[in-house]
Each structure stands twice: as structure tokens, then as C-alpha cells.
Amino acid sequence: MSIITNGTSPRRRVNVCFHGVGRPRRDLEPGESRYWVSEDDFLRLLDELAEDTNGVSLSVDDGNVSDVEIVLPALLDRGMRATFFVVVDRLGRPGSLTRTDVRQLVASGMTLGNHGWTHEPWTSFDDEELEREVLEARAALSVLTGEAVRTAALPRGQYNRAVLRAARSAGYATLFTSDRQSASADSWLQARFSVHSGVTPESLSRIVRDANRLPRRVGSAMNTLRKSWS
Ligand SMILES: [Zn+2]
């Protein structure tokens, strides 16, 4: 079997995903702390990405209060945009965004996406529960901002056939995974690279560069070995 190479086609996109920045102000889930980065590290990583934003898309998951306190002003300073994937059930809780914060993100030109009602993996739900995560959470976010929510990111990056079917039939324009490979710019299912505390500006630059060169089938094989937080 031959390996299909994609070269550096502009139709490829590298989706880079951040989570919490600075000091957490809520209890973290098991395994989550690795995906928090210090403010200094975050700013250095963002500066690296700002060097060349061509083919790179940013997202920020989980709706932590650092989204508005640190990430938003840093993005605006650099003329950058991101999609913020918010967990509805966390809104207004200590350490998480308030509803006013979410409106501020959208008013500042950022995109809002659904990251579930509860942040439990969507693979753990039956059909009725999945409806709450996929449909009701999206509706709640749309009511909050008065704008349609067209994208979702899978909590913990986990999915199966039933999850994909539910998101498809809900009409999402794009569904984001955490599969650590580049994505086709027009693909409905988009992989992302989650930044963790061990990522440096140099390694991030290399991830972006290599992802654009990574043969798709090699990337898929790597996924089975390296799952990441979302
Ligand atoms: Zn998440």
C-alpha cells in the first residue's frame, strides 16, 4: 500500500488548541493539569504562531476564566482570532467564564463553539443524553449570544460512529477532534493539536511545519498511539 502525501498544499490546515492558562481556579479533571500552560509560556507560544498564521487556526477549550483574562487580550494585541469551545454547565462557576464573558468574546470578534453541556465524553451517552450535549448545549449558547453556533469540539477528543452521526444530523458545519494531525481545510471533521506544558515555541513551530508535510495515513497511525486532552 502506498502512502498518500499531501505536500504543503494550502488546502491543509493546522488547528492548534489551547486550554487553561495561568493558575487554575477550579478543581481539574484527572489528567487535565498537563494541558495548562503558564501565562509566560502561552504568550511565547502565541508569539511564535503570530509569526506566520497562514494555514493555522486557533481554538481554546473548556471555558476557563483565563479565556477572557489572558487569552483574549493577547489575541487582540496580535490581531489574531480563535474559536472558543465552551462547556455550558460550567458557565458562571468559579474559575469558569460567565455568560457576560462569553458575550464579550463574541463581541470582540471571536467565534463561539459548543464543547458540550457537561464535558463528559460524548461516547459515554445514550441518544437522549447526547441530544442534551449536541443540541441543547448549542441552543443555549446561541440564545446567549444571539448568534448561530456552527462548530463543536469533542470533549476529551473521544468519538465513535454514533457521535459522528449525531453531530452530522445536528447540522454542525465542522466537528473538531484532538487527533494530532493536520486537517483538510474543507473537511467536516477537523483534527487538532492540543498544546501541553512540554511544548516550546520551537517544538510548536516544528509541529506546525511537520503537520503540513505529514502524510495523512502516517498521521492516522499516530493517532492510535497518542490521544490528547480536549
Ligand atoms: Zn475539553
Side-chain angles (χ1 to χ4, degrees), residues 38-137:
S38 72
E39 181 171 355
D40 284 350
D41 284 348
F42 169 72
L43 295 176
R44 278 194 284 270
L45 294 168
L46 201 61
D47 281 337
E48 179 64 36
L49 292 169
E51 290 281 314
D52 182 7
T53 57
N54 190 33
V56 176
S57 292
L58 301 183
S59 54
V60 189
D61 281 13
D62 299 345
N64 295 296
V65 73
S66 55
D67 289 6
V68 286
E69 292 186 350
I70 300 171
V71 178
L72 177 63
L75 290 170
L76 293 176
D77 280 350
R78 293 160 179 77
M80 300 171 83
R81 296 284 180 271
T83 300
F84 288 77
F85 290 100
V86 169
V87 179
V88 172
D89 190 42
R90 288 184 181 175
L91 293 176
R93 295 193 178 194
S96 293
L97 297 173
T98 65
R99 287 169 166 74
T100 302
D101 293 334
V102 172
R103 291 191 193 99
Q104 185 191 348
L105 289 171
V106 173
S108 302
M110 303 297 149
T111 302
L112 183 64
N114 178 25
H115 199 37
W117 194 280
T118 63
H119 202 251
E120 291 298 317
W122 288 0
T123 50
S124 65
F125 294 124
D126 63 26
D127 288 350
E128 194 176 324
E129 293 165 329
L130 204 48
E131 194 171 307
R132 177 192 63 204
E133 305 290 325
V134 174
L135 293 174
E136 293 176 25

Side-chain angles (χ1 to χ4, degrees), residues 136-147:
E136 293 176 25
R138 179 179 62 179
L141 295 174
S142 297
V143 166
L144 186 56
T145 63
E147 293 188 12

